[in-house]
Amino acid sequence: MTMKKEAALFLDNPARLLAALYELGGKSNLRKLFDKLAKEYGSSFTSLYNTLHTLEKDGYIKITVGDREKIIELTEKGWKKGELFAKFIRELEAPQ
């Protein structure tokens, strides 16, 4: 994974989180998702954790707590936005 510098500059955490989760197939455990966001955007755990609750409250993701991990999953509403943001990031990061 490489740092997505342009996207890190222009997109906030909710957009990054939805795009990353979309790229992971719409479902991921919390650690894998946060590791991806930290490597690609330099996002901090604290800011991402706060973003999770906002996205869940607004209906973009569903959080399921298992025995040993939290599973984050895109809702239909979140899938549409994740797809849109992921496409935007690919275009933004394309060589000029």
Side-chain angles (χ1 to χ4, degrees):
M1 270 183 254
T2 60
M3 181 75 166
K4 295 181 178 177
K5 295 177 184 176
E6 294 287 324
L9 177 64
F10 291 109
L11 294 174
D12 58 4
N13 279 333
R16 296 175 194 172
L17 195 145
L18 291 173
L21 194 52
Y22 174 82
E23 290 172 349
L24 291 169
K27 185 176 184 178
S28 176
N29 69 46
L30 184 68
R31 176 58 49 203
K32 184 176 181 179
L33 177 61
F34 278 17
D35 285 347
K36 177 178 177 59
L37 289 160
K39 288 176 186 170
E40 292 184 358
Y41 303 105
S43 300
S44 74
F45 179 83
T46 304
S47 65
L48 292 171
Y49 196 77
N50 292 333
T51 300
L52 274 181
H53 295 292
T54 302
L55 290 172
E56 182 181 34
K57 183 182 76 161
D58 292 342
Y60 291 99
I61 62 171
K62 180 176 122 182
I63 301 173
T64 307
V65 180
D67 291 337
R68 304 187 89 153
E69 63 185 1
K70 287 185 179 181
I71 302 296
I72 316 302
E73 187 171 4
L74 290 172
T75 63
E76 185 177 336
K77 180 179 174 181
W79 183 269
K80 290 176 184 176
K81 294 295 183 192
E83 183 177 32
L84 177 73
F85 292 133
K87 181 181 177 187
F88 178 71
I89 290 168
R90 283 191 302 276
E91 291 175 8
L92 195 61
E93 296 296 329
Q96 300 297 321

